[in-house]
Amino acid sequence: MPPLQLTLEGDTDVLVTRKFNATPENVYRAHLEPELICQWMAAWPGWTMPACETDSREGGAFRFEFDGGEEGAFTTTGEYITLTPSSLIVHVERMHMPDPAPDSHVCTTFEASGTGTLLTLKMSLPDAESRQGMMDMGAADGMELSYAKLDEIMS
């Protein structure tokens, strides 16, 4: 599978597309079930996910804790706005490093593509500075590492 494609839109948005070797049902499920999330989301070498909690329903919350040892730690929290099984997740998220960043809005779609899935993720950050900070932290590389791990566990 080709790696993700990342495009910057306007001053605050990021559009990511990536194909997976799994069905939309399985890729969607991997974004909501804690036992699957903790297997693929902390894929950066040396990082772990000591806490992964989700209340996967509209209005439900999630909390993901990442620990990179000497490199640091951070937490991501958020709430699910819309969940359409196997096709759409809309949520709000914020990073805590340790203070919480302003909310980002994320819309992820899952579409059948051949025998796999085309994932399209659009993230709207609160401002251009926040987006640049995310890009400077290596967001594209980190996302691709995580998505490659997701592909591996779904195969």
Side-chain angles (χ1 to χ4, degrees):
M1 284 285 156
L4 69 86
Q5 301 294 310
L6 187 146
T7 305
L8 303 180
E9 295 184 332
D11 292 334
T12 60
D13 293 350
V14 176
L15 181 67
V16 173
T17 59
R18 192 181 190 286
K19 291 185 178 180
F20 292 90
N21 286 321
T23 64
E25 293 80 11
N26 284 338
V27 178
Y28 175 88
R29 189 168 56 92
H31 281 74
L32 296 176
E33 294 182 10
E35 58 276 3
L36 294 173
I37 291 169
C38 70
Q39 291 180 44
W40 67 269
M41 201 172 273
W44 199 269
W47 285 78
T48 62
M49 183 180 249
C52 177
E53 303 163 358
T54 64
D55 178 6
S56 300
R57 60 182 174 85
E58 292 182 353
F62 62 86
R63 178 181 181 84
F64 306 138
E65 293 180 14
F66 298 86
D67 185 355
E70 293 180 11
E71 292 189 44
F74 69 93
T75 301
T76 301
T77 62
E79 297 82 36
Y80 297 109
I81 298 169
T82 303
L83 298 173
T84 304
S86 304
S87 65
L88 174 68
I89 298 172
V90 179
H91 72 274
V92 173
E93 71 178 38
R94 65 199 63 84
M95 293 182 69
H96 305 259
M97 301 183 74
D99 295 326
D103 291 355
S104 297
H105 295 264
V106 182
C107 177
T108 307
T109 61
F110 307 84
E111 298 175 56
S113 176
T115 58
T117 299
L118 174 63
L119 176 144
T120 302
L121 179 150
K122 183 171 185 174
M123 176 179 277
S124 298
L125 290 109
D127 52 53
E129 181 180 85
S130 297
R131 183 179 75 180
Q132 189 60 49
M134 183 181 89
M135 300 308 296
D136 290 347
M137 290 174 38
D141 291 340
M143 290 177 79
E144 178 51 32
L145 281 171
S146 295
Y147 286 155
K149 186 70 174 177
L150 191 159
D151 230 356
E152 179 185 315
I153 66 170
M154 289 283 122
S155 297

